Amino acid sequence: MASSLVSSPTSSFLKKIAFHKCKKQVSKKIVSVMAPQQSERKTYTTGSVKTGMTMTEKILARASEKQQLNPGDNVWVNVDILMTHDVCGPGSIGIFKKEFGEKAKVWDREKIVIIPDHYIFTSDERANRNVDILRDFCGEQNIKYFYDIKDLSNFKANPDYKGVCHVALAQEGHCRPGEVLLGTDSHTCTAGAFGQFATGIGNTDAGFVLGTGKVLLKVPPTLRFVMDGEMPHYLLAKDLILQIIGEISVAGATYKSMEFVGTTVESLNMEERMTLCNMVVEAGGKNGVVPADSTTFKYLEDKTSVPYEPVYSDAQASFLSEYRFDISKLEPLVAKPHSPDNRALARECKDVKIDRVYIGSCTGGKTEDFLAAAKVFLASGKKVKVPTFLVPATQKVWMDIYTLPVPGSGGKTCSQIFEEAGCDTPASPSCGACLGGPKDTYARMNEPKVCVSTTNRNFPGRMGHKEGQIYLASPYTAAASALTSYVTDPREFLC
């Protein structure tokens, strides 16, 4: 439960503060997209007079024990949680031991979370060795939160094993409003959905954090994205973030915070907010953040007993730019090969023949993502026309697929609907083929195929073969495309 709770901003309050003081007048007309202002807004101080701060500035100010921070300031930040996994963990551990000593102890064994998830279900000896290194280190340091896996033949035989780190962090209660969470993975920004500062760091920084609990950060300026309007029933958060990335480009938010507000954002459940924040790094963002509210607090009720204190942007906070979207006018989108900003309407790609569909990853392998895909299959009553691979993010998601009834299905679970539709059996929880991996990785693209995927990147070679073509899409669009063997607008099946 939250302590020292600050009331979250309401819709009316957000509307009230949306037009903060600035040198240029911001139009109050809501359009599909409004171009950002070109000039940077500067924060001025006179003596000890404080100026307004954004959420990100406030979180970093508290973590650095400063009263006031401005974009561009360099500060030593106290870290609340450090996460690493099997790909970057061994390197981070190696740096820690080199710089602090073979016998050195970590700064806080209860603030380090180590999650094997990337190259798990493989016979690759080097990948298996990485997990062994993590296990040895956690034993030496008595790390409290190590989600180990030993039996690769049956993930269910490993009660501690979770799966994809970014989803597991949320499910296990490691994400809390107002805190600083760092991880050796670029998609650590997912946790910003909880109203916290979350970003990816390199192995060198992680090695230093292991020994000190601190990191040197430059305070980023903030871009604000105001999304209003009723969310159409055929859209998901993946469409929203693809729209934003398509609008500002993969470099449009380089080393900037991306703050998401508005009535549409407030209507999203936590997993959809995680999708939104997950892909800010595909726009170059340092972090993404959603103000904590009753949805956040309810999600956390049974997940953490650690006190937390949310923060919110001040009414007079200075934003570098502001974008406004009327989501009610948005249509289903895809990102065509080979960049997340290669935006197109799904219906404009209806002649693109595909070979496979992949539903999984930290972006699109959560419970709500599989419920969405099942909804499309259920509505169609048809079978898929291409191989459709399902990779749950975590053990919990896997269990949900087999136990949660799909709304409007008469009690059927996702697994039953997937089986009736002819999909592959849900695989063992992991990052899977999202980033290619060893050649024996489930669903890896070992041939130059065309794939519609709920993942986050579509660069050449991302899912395996360097000549593969990846169309990034929502679970709705991915499921619809599986049914036709072409890139398909989900409105074809969702009335």
Side-chain angles (χ1 to χ4, degrees):
M1 293 297 290
S3 68
S4 302
L5 198 59
V6 181
S7 298
S8 62
T10 62
S11 301
S12 60
F13 182 60
L14 282 173
K15 291 176 182 175
K16 201 166 134 187
I17 70 171
F19 308 104
H20 41 74
K21 296 178 181 178
C22 58
K23 294 180 180 179
K24 295 184 179 180
Q25 182 65 36
V26 179
S27 170
K28 294 188 178 183
K29 181 181 178 183
I30 298 177
V31 293
S32 294
V33 176
M34 186 177 119
Q37 298 180 21
Q38 298 304 308
S39 60
E40 182 173 346
R41 302 172 189 173
K42 297 180 180 179
T43 301
Y44 297 93
T45 60
T46 304
S48 62
V49 177
K50 296 179 184 178
T51 58
M53 289 191 289
T54 66
M55 285 182 66
T56 292
E57 291 159 12
K58 282 187 175 183
I59 293 170
L60 295 181
R62 187 160 66 191
S64 61
E65 300 176 7
K66 303 285 186 182
Q67 290 296 314
Q68 180 75 39
L69 286 182
N70 299 311
D73 289 347
N74 292 301
V75 290
W76 286 102
V77 172
N78 295 312
V79 178
D80 293 295
I81 294 290
L82 172 69
M83 182 279 298
T84 192
H85 50 53
D86 55 296
V87 174
C88 296
S92 301
I93 292 166
I95 291 168
F96 167 74
K97 290 189 172 185
K98 177 184 177 183
E99 300 299 332
F100 291 90
E102 286 290 330
K103 302 296 184 180
K105 291 297 182 181
V106 296
W107 108 95
D108 191 328
R109 73 176 192 89
E110 295 190 8
K111 291 187 176 182
I112 296 164
V113 182
I114 297 184
I115 310 178
D117 66 346
H118 275 59
Y119 304 149
I120 305 303
F121 302 102
T122 174
S123 60
D124 186 282
E125 291 182 359
R126 287 174 294 182
N128 298 155
R129 179 201 61 192
N130 277 0
V131 180
D132 293 340
I133 293 172
L134 297 183
R135 186 179 302 113
D136 291 344
F137 180 73
C138 290
E140 293 169 8
Q141 298 286 342
N142 194 25
I143 299 297
K144 184 175 182 178
Y145 300 109
F146 173 46
Y147 299 114
D148 195 10
I149 180 167
K150 294 179 180 178
D151 185 350
L152 303 184
S153 65
N154 177 16
F155 72 89
K156 295 189 292 295
N158 303 271
D160 292 336
Y161 178 69
K162 302 303 175 187
V164 177
C165 57
H166 309 301
V167 181
L169 282 169
Q171 291 177 343
E172 300 304 312
H174 299 298
C175 300
R176 292 178 288 268
E179 293 193 353
V180 173
L181 186 153
L182 303 179
T184 58
D185 189 289
S186 60
H187 290 108
T188 302
C189 51
T190 305
F194 291 84
Q196 64 184 135
F197 179 85
T199 195
I201 58 173
N203 291 2
T204 303
D205 278 343
F208 187 81
V209 175
L210 282 170
T212 67
K214 297 178 182 294
V215 71
L216 182 65
L217 286 175
K218 180 167 72 174
V219 180
T222 299
L223 303 178
R224 184 179 242 203
F225 298 85
V226 184
M227 290 179 273
D228 288 313
E230 184 177 353
M231 184 95 147
H233 69 280
Y234 45 79
L235 292 184
L236 292 169
K238 184 66 168 289
D239 297 293
L240 307 189
I241 194 61
L242 289 180
Q243 168 71 0
I244 290 171
I245 297 170
E247 185 63 24
I248 68 175
S249 87
V250 291
T254 301
Y255 208 93
K256 297 177 179 67
S257 175
M258 298 172 68
E259 182 175 320
F260 303 104
V261 298
T263 58
T264 307
V265 178
E266 292 169 7
S267 72
L268 299 177
N269 60 45
M270 284 312 302
E271 291 194 354
E272 284 285 82
R273 295 179 189 188
M274 289 167 67
T275 300
L276 198 60
C277 289
N278 173 271
M279 287 187 67
V280 302
V281 70
E282 272 69 53
K286 181 65 174 176
N287 69 301
V289 67
V290 175
D293 59 13
S294 59
T295 300
T296 319
F297 307 144
K298 183 174 178 58
Y299 181 93
L300 292 173
E301 278 181 358
D302 61 348
K303 293 180 175 61
T304 183
S305 59
V306 177
Y308 56 82
E309 186 177 352
V311 299
Y312 304 98
S313 292
D314 292 326
Q316 68 274 32
S318 179
F319 296 90
L320 184 61
S321 298
E322 182 179 280
Y323 296 79
R324 298 185 67 85
F325 299 83
D326 181 349
I327 299 303
S328 66
K329 297 178 181 177
L330 191 63
E331 296 184 56
L333 298 169
V334 296
K336 299 185 294 184
H338 293 283
S339 178
D341 64 2
N342 194 8
R343 174 187 56 182
L345 295 175
R347 60 180 174 82
E348 293 175 339
C349 302
K350 60 184 177 63
D351 295 326
V352 176
K353 185 76 169 66
I354 67 171
D355 302 304
R356 54 168 54 192
V357 165
Y358 185 95
I359 300 175
S361 82
C362 55
T363 317
K366 304 178 293 301
T367 297
E368 294 292 338
D369 298 313
F370 287 105
L371 286 170
K375 180 179 177 181
V376 175
F377 292 137
L378 182 68
S380 74
K382 299 179 180 180
K383 288 187 175 293
V384 298
K385 293 185 177 180
V386 294
T388 302
F389 303 103
L390 311 170
V391 186
T394 64
Q395 282 223 49
K396 184 182 184 309
V397 176
W398 189 92
M399 287 298 299
D400 288 345
I401 287 174
Y402 280 88
T403 58
L404 288 184
V406 176
S409 69
K412 290 183 179 179
T413 63
C414 286
S415 62
Q416 291 172 310
I417 293 170
F418 293 152
E419 183 177 6
E420 292 172 1
C423 302
D424 263 35
T425 302
S428 300
S430 76
C431 294
C434 173
L435 71 165
K439 285 204 169 181
D440 62 349
T441 298
Y442 174 76
R444 186 184 191 273
M445 289 174 64
N446 292 322
E447 297 176 357
K449 302 285 188 180
V450 179
C451 178
V452 171
S453 177
T454 65
T455 53
N456 43 55
R457 290 178 182 159
N458 57 352
F459 310 130
R462 171 66 181 184
M463 295 185 74
H465 202 285
K466 65 182 180 181
E467 294 177 11
Q469 297 184 49
I470 305 164
Y471 287 77
L472 303 178
S474 76
Y476 280 163
T477 301
S481 301
L483 293 166
T484 65
S485 74
Y486 290 86
V487 175
T488 302
D489 188 315
R491 287 176 289 188
E492 187 169 321
F493 301 104
L494 297 174
C495 300

